[in-house]
Amino acid sequence: MASFNLLLLPGDGIGPEVMAEVKKVADVLGKAGLGTFETETDLVGGAAYDAHGKAVADSTMQLALAADAVLFGAVGGPKWAKVPYEHRPEAGLLRLRKDLALFANLRPAVCYPALAEASSLKREVIEGLDIMIVRELTGGVYFGEPKEVVTLENGQKRAVDTQVYTTHEIERIARVAFDLAKVRRKKVTSTEKHNVMRSGVLWKEVVTRIGAEEYPDIELEHHLADACGMQLVRWPKQYDVIVCDNLFGDMLSDVAAMLTGSLGMLPSASLGAPDAATGKRKSLYEPVHGSAPDIAGQGLANPIAMIGSFGMALRYSLGLGQAADLVDAAIADVLASGMRTRDIAAKGANAVGTTEMGDAIVAALRKRL
Ligand code: NAD
C-alpha cells in the first residue's frame, strides 16, 4: 500500500477545529487500505509567532519541502494585530507559497444539488455547476517592478504597479489548465485583456500556441476578463477550466466562489512545477476561508472546505482520484440528508457543529468504502 507523508499546519482560529476533521477522514481511508497517511502537525501563523517569534519556523519549512502535500488551515486574528509587519501571521502563508514556488492556484466552484437554493442565482443557472479556476499566483501586477509611489515636482504623487509576464510563466500555467481539462470536460477558457494590454496579447498568443502544439484535443476559447466575469454570473455552466493571470484570477475566482454559497464550502490547491526527477509537484491545500475569529473555539465552523481541500490533495498530489471521488460523494450524501452547519443552514433551521458534520462525513464515507 502506498505511503504518503502529509504535513498538517492547522494555524489559528478555526484552523485546528476543521483540521481535526481531516485527520478522521484520513484515518478512515487508511483503515480501508487506500493508503498509509503519515501525518506530522506543526505550527504556522499566530500560533508559530507565539512559540518562535516567527510566522513559520525554518524547521517547519523543511518539513513542508519534504512533504507529499501540505494541508493548511487558516492564520490570523485580532490577537496578532500589533505584531511587526514581517512577522504577521499571513507572512507564514506567503513564505510557504514562495519557498515551495507555488505558481498555480486551483479553485473549484462546485454546486452541490442540496445547496442550490443557497446561491444568490437561480437554481437552473447553478445546479450541477462544476468549474475550475486556474489562477497564476506568483507573477503579474502584484509582483512586477517598478512598484512604487513617487512624489512629483508639483507635489502630486504617482503610484505605479507593473503587469509583467514572460513566455515561460504563461506556458507553465497554461499547461496546468490544459492538463486539468484533459481529465475533465476537455475545454479551456483563457482570459486576459488583449484589447488594451500588451501582456494580454502575449498571454493569448502563448496559450494559443501551447493548446495547438501540445493539447490539440482540448477545445480552447478566449474571453476578455471582464466579459468572463459577466458570463460567470449569467451562465457559468458554459465553462470547464478557466485560466487567468494573478489579478484577473483573484477577482474571477471570488466571483465563481460566491456562485456556490458559503466560504465554509470552498477548497483550494496551490501547485508548483513538477520535479524533474520524480514528476511530483510541491503543493499546499487550504480552504478559501480565513481563521474566522468570530466563531473560533465554539465548535461551529463548517469543516467541508478543509475536508474538500484534503480531497483535492488526494486527487492532485497523491494520485488517489478514486478516494477523492469517495470523499466528495460522502460530502454530497451528508448535504443531501439535510445536515447543515450554521453557515449553510436556512434561517431558523437546526444546525450541527464542526465535529458532528465531520463525523457524519466519516460515516457516509465508511458506507461507500
Ligand atoms: P474569514 O474567512 O475568517 O471569515 C469571514 C466570515 O465567514 C466570518 O463571519 C466567519 O465566521 C465565516 N466563516 C469563515 N469560514 C467559515 C467556516 N469554515 N464555517 C463557518 N463560517 C465560516 O475572513 P475574515 O473575517 O475576513 O478574516 C479573519 C482572519 O482570517 C483575519 O485575520 C484574516 O487576515 C485571516 N484570513 C486568513 C486567510 C488564510 O489563512 N488563508 C484567508 C482569509 C483571511
Side-chain angles (χ1 to χ4, degrees):
M1 189 167 43
S3 178
F4 306 103
N5 147 28
L6 302 176
L7 176 63
L8 310 186
L9 299 176
D12 308 318
I14 61 169
E17 299 170 46
V18 293
M19 191 66 85
E21 304 310 310
V22 164
K23 280 197 89 168
K24 293 181 191 167
V25 173
D27 284 349
V28 172
L29 294 177
K31 284 193 183 118
L34 288 170
T36 306
F37 301 96
E38 309 276 358
T39 61
E40 187 141 12
T41 303
D42 210 339
L43 301 173
V44 71
Y49 178 78
D50 290 345
H52 317 293
K54 268 178 157 185
V56 61
D58 294 343
S59 55
T60 311
M61 285 308 311
Q62 292 308 317
L63 293 174
L65 286 162
D68 288 314
V70 178
L71 297 181
F72 182 97
V75 292
K79 183 177 174 198
W80 301 282
K82 296 212 166 87
V83 304
Y85 185 75
E86 65 276 23
H87 297 310
R88 70 199 189 285
E90 290 75 10
L93 179 57
L94 294 181
R95 177 159 180 215
L96 281 156
R97 283 185 183 156
K98 182 162 176 278
D99 289 10
L100 299 179
L102 305 174
F103 69 87
N105 183 238
L106 276 51
R107 280 224 217 158
V110 174
C111 183
Y112 291 96
L115 289 186
E117 295 302 338
S119 171
S120 52
L121 299 188
K122 291 190 194 108
R123 176 179 274 275
E124 67 264 27
V125 175
I126 211 70
E127 194 165 28
L129 179 75
D130 176 4
I131 62 178
M132 176 73 83
I133 310 261
V134 177
R135 166 187 169 194
E136 202 290 327
L137 203 57
T138 52
V141 74
Y142 292 168
F143 298 100
E145 295 286 347
K147 188 176 195 65
E148 60 188 11
V149 181
V150 290
T151 304
L152 304 176
E153 276 176 14
N154 63 4
Q156 296 258 313
K157 290 188 172 177
R158 189 179 60 165
V160 182
D161 295 285
T162 308
Q163 166 87 339
V164 190
Y165 273 107
T166 62
T167 306
H168 166 69
E169 286 173 307
I170 303 169
E171 284 175 348
R172 65 181 185 173
I173 193 75
R175 289 192 182 106
V176 170
F178 282 115
D179 282 339
L180 283 166
K182 250 195 210 169
V183 292
R184 293 173 51 94
R185 296 189 302 280
K186 302 196 168 33
K187 179 176 168 188
V188 169
T189 305
S190 172
T191 63
E192 30 58 26
K193 290 280 288 178
H194 71 268
N195 52 340
V196 285
M197 294 172 78
R198 293 281 185 185
S199 56
V201 174
L202 181 66
W203 182 281
K204 187 175 178 191
E205 259 173 41
V206 173
V207 175
T208 303
R209 174 172 54 75
I210 294 291
E213 287 177 4
E214 300 177 27
Y215 302 90
D217 299 337
I218 307 287
E219 182 191 346
L220 171 64
E221 65 177 7
H222 302 275
H223 280 187
L224 292 172
D226 51 340
C228 181
M230 197 172 64
Q231 291 297 332
L232 268 174
V233 289
R234 191 186 72 83
W235 191 245
K237 285 189 250 182
Q238 68 186 283
Y239 295 118
D240 178 15
V241 176
I242 301 177
V243 60
C244 353
D245 75 7
N246 203 344
L247 172 66
F248 297 137
D250 199 0
M251 291 189 271
L252 294 174
S253 61
D254 270 17
V255 173
M258 273 302 110
L259 298 175
T260 66
S262 164
L263 267 175
M265 297 293 300
L266 299 165
S268 80
S270 299
L271 307 178
D275 181 271
T278 63
K280 277 191 173 176
R281 294 176 186 272
K282 296 271 183 285
S283 58
L284 181 141
Y285 296 85
E286 57 176 325
V288 169
H289 63 71
S291 58
D294 53 335
I295 56 166
Q298 300 175 42
L300 295 174
N302 183 349
I304 292 179
M306 187 74 242
I307 294 173
S309 301
F310 176 54
M312 291 186 81
L314 294 168
R315 194 181 302 283
Y316 299 118
S317 286
L318 311 184
L320 297 177
Q322 223 182 338
D325 288 344
L326 290 170
V327 171
D328 289 345
I331 294 171
D333 289 347
V334 171
L335 292 172
S337 79
M339 185 177 272
R340 302 281 186 270
T341 43
R342 202 178 62 167
D343 56 311
I344 51 172
K347 257 208 174 114
N350 277 343
V352 300
T354 312
T355 49
E356 289 94 329
M357 180 55 91
D359 289 345
I361 292 169
V362 164
L365 184 58
R366 276 211 187 93
K367 272 196 200 151
R368 287 183 168 268
L369 284 166

